[in-house]
């Protein structure tokens, strides 16, 4: 956590040297390295999305139970209804604009997504599932179905124009205003998803890849298994408070300790994340961004007009991602039923 001048100079040098690297290296990198890394990053995104859905619903329920304020209940119920309303509106719009006669592939994508979303919503409220997984409910299912439907809608809206244009399965392909709107919305959504995924995956590395005992901030063990363990900082602060209460130290000692703690380097003795995993996540995020900008490595030198996000490969990536999202969430529902002895 220092030597930033040398790091900045090194970064500039690497950026300049990238222009003298032969094209063959980038061709190999894009086909065999970046595409694989982008796929892994997509899986990490989906895991974090499902985790976010569970955490958000639990937070609203917890606030509602603690405060007994109807605000949190209304947020939970209203948000769930809004998610399913978005799902219904996008599904109807998909059938109207992209499922004309002769567009069999689009009809299959829309119908499969609709049936899968209805199925996973029904499973989320099944008595056996809720008995095994107390966290399941329509709130999480609503977020997952809305996101999966968005991916399908985005894929259909980004479908390339067919050569014969008969039938016209993507009427938005020739609409410049629609392309601009989809590009802006997609850019904001993509940047937000990448930022959220990279920061959360990097910070949660101890949970994802290693046990808490390997963390430099891991809590100290206690004799009582039911007692919440304290960190070193908490134990020092507790000792200071006892000394002040006994009269051994003046009250100013607590103030001095707080000011010293705030001015000290919080990464001097360790960090809450793994350095290697942190940089691996950001590297895979850059691979994912590179795949988005190159239409998943489908841009050809003969293309005169290149529209980012409009290619057959990009369509299939989005559709398969929506399927994986639903499948991953469904596994969190049926997993505790199938494997009840495993900790979830």
């Amino acid at each position: 956590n220092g030597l930033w001048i040398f790091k900045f100079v090194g970064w500039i040098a690497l950026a300049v040297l990238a222009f003298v690297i032969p094209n063959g290296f980038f061709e190999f990198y894009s086909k065999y390295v970046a595409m694989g890394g982008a796929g892994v990053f997509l899986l990490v995104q989906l895991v974090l999305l499902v985790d976010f859905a569970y955490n958000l619903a639990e937070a609203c329920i917890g606030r509602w139970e603690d405060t007994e304020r109807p605000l949190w209940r209304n947020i939970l119920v209203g948000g769930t209804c809004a998610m399913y309303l978005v799902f219904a509106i996008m599904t109807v719009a998909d059938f109207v604009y992209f499922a004309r006669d002769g567009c069999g592939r689009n009809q299959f994508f829309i119908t499969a997504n609709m049936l899968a979303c209805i199925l996973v919503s029904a499973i989320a409220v099944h008595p056996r599932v809720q008995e095994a997984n107390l966290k399941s409910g329509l709130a999480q299912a609503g977020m997952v179905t809305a996101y999966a439907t968005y991916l399908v809608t985005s894929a259909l809206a980004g479908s390339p124009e067919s050569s014969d244009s008969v039938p016209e399965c993507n009427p938005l392909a020739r609409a410049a205003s629609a392309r601009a709107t989809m590009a802006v919305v997609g850019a904001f959504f993509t940047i937000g998803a990448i930022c959220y995924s990279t920061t959360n995956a990097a910070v949660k590395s101890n949970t994802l890849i290693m046990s808490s005992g390997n963390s430099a901030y891991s809590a100290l063990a206690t004799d009582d298994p039911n007692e919440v363990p304290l960190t070193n900082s908490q134990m020092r602060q507790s000792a200071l408070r006892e000394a002040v209460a006994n009269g051994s130290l003046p009250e100013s000692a607590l103030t001095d300790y707080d000011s010293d703690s705030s001015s000290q380097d919080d990464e001097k003795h360790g960090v809450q994340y793994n350095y290697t995993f942190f940089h691996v996540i950001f590297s895979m995020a850059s691979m994912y961004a590179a795949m988005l900008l190159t239409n998943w490595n489908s841009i050809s030198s003969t293309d005169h007009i290149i529209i980012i996000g409009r290619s057959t490969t990009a369509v299939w990536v989005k559709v398969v991602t929506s399927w994986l999202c639903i499948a991953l969430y469904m596994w969190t529902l049926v997993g505790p039923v199938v494997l009840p002895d495993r900790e979830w």
Side-chain angles (χ1 to χ4, degrees):
N1 191 17
L3 302 176
W4 287 103
I5 296 179
F6 296 98
K7 293 178 182 179
F8 184 75
V9 172
W11 175 73
I12 293 294
L14 291 175
V16 173
L17 290 175
F19 288 94
V20 300
I21 297 177
N23 293 335
F25 169 81
F26 290 104
E27 293 177 359
F28 175 84
Y29 171 81
S30 62
K31 292 180 180 179
Y32 304 104
V33 180
M35 188 167 291
V40 175
F41 182 76
L42 272 177
L43 294 178
V44 173
Q45 267 191 325
L46 297 180
V47 172
L48 292 176
L49 171 69
V50 175
D51 180 69
F52 172 78
Y54 275 104
N55 291 337
L56 183 60
E58 290 176 22
C60 292
I61 295 175
R63 293 290 183 89
W64 180 22
E65 293 176 348
D66 294 339
T67 62
E68 296 184 354
R69 295 178 58 187
L71 172 64
W72 298 105
R73 179 196 60 192
N74 297 336
I75 291 177
L76 184 64
V77 176
T80 303
C81 295
M83 292 295 103
Y84 278 103
L85 181 62
V86 169
F87 159 69
I89 292 176
M90 286 193 295
T91 301
V92 172
D94 291 343
F95 275 114
V96 172
Y97 288 100
F98 307 114
R100 301 179 180 181
D101 293 337
C103 303
R105 188 190 67 174
N106 292 359
Q107 294 173 358
F108 169 72
F109 287 161
I110 301 170
T111 305
N113 177 78
M114 180 184 65
L115 295 178
C117 291
I118 295 175
L119 176 63
V120 77
S121 300
I123 294 177
V125 295
H126 193 276
R128 287 195 60 188
V129 172
Q130 290 194 324
E131 181 182 355
N133 183 4
L134 300 177
K135 302 177 182 179
S136 64
L138 288 179
Q140 303 91 331
M143 283 182 271
V144 172
T145 55
Y147 178 71
T149 307
Y150 162 77
L151 288 177
V152 174
T153 303
S154 177
L156 298 178
S159 299
E161 184 179 357
S162 57
S163 57
D164 53 3
S165 299
V166 178
E168 190 178 11
C169 297
N170 183 12
L172 303 181
R174 300 180 181 180
S177 59
R179 289 202 305 265
T181 302
M182 291 294 296
V184 172
V185 173
F188 277 106
F189 192 89
T190 301
I191 293 174
I194 290 177
C195 293
Y196 176 82
S197 301
T198 50
T199 53
N200 280 268
V203 173
K204 294 180 179 179
S205 59
N206 289 334
T207 303
L208 296 174
I209 64 173
M210 57 194 296
S211 63
S212 59
N214 294 332
S215 173
Y217 280 164
S218 58
L220 299 178
T222 59
D223 296 333
D224 187 0
N226 297 323
E227 182 181 354
V228 178
L230 300 176
T231 62
N232 291 333
S233 177
Q234 292 173 332
M235 293 185 65
R236 286 194 297 269
Q237 191 173 16
S238 177
L240 280 175
R241 289 177 178 175
E242 292 180 1
V244 172
N246 296 331
S248 303
L249 292 174
E251 294 183 1
S252 59
L254 287 175
T255 306
D256 296 339
Y257 174 78
D258 292 337
S259 60
D260 292 341
S261 300
S262 61
S263 61
Q264 289 177 354
D265 182 10
D266 61 346
E267 297 185 356
K268 182 177 181 180
H269 301 290
V271 293
Q272 291 181 332
Y273 56 90
N274 181 277
Y275 277 123
T276 302
F277 191 78
F278 180 86
H279 291 290
V280 168
I281 286 293
F282 272 83
S283 298
M284 291 191 298
S286 67
M287 297 177 190
Y288 175 68
M291 290 296 100
L292 293 179
L293 294 175
T294 59
N295 285 340
W296 289 88
N297 203 29
S298 61
I299 294 179
S300 175
S301 59
T302 59
D303 296 335
H304 300 289
I305 299 177
I306 298 174
I307 301 176
I308 301 301
R310 178 162 296 174
S311 68
T312 303
T313 305
V315 169
W316 277 102
V317 168
K318 292 180 180 179
V319 172
V320 173
T321 301
S322 70
W323 294 345
L324 290 176
C325 180
I326 295 175
L328 179 63
Y329 175 66
M330 186 178 296
W331 172 245
T332 65
L333 297 176
V334 302
V337 178
V338 178
L339 303 174
D341 296 333
R342 181 178 177 182
E343 182 179 357
W344 294 86

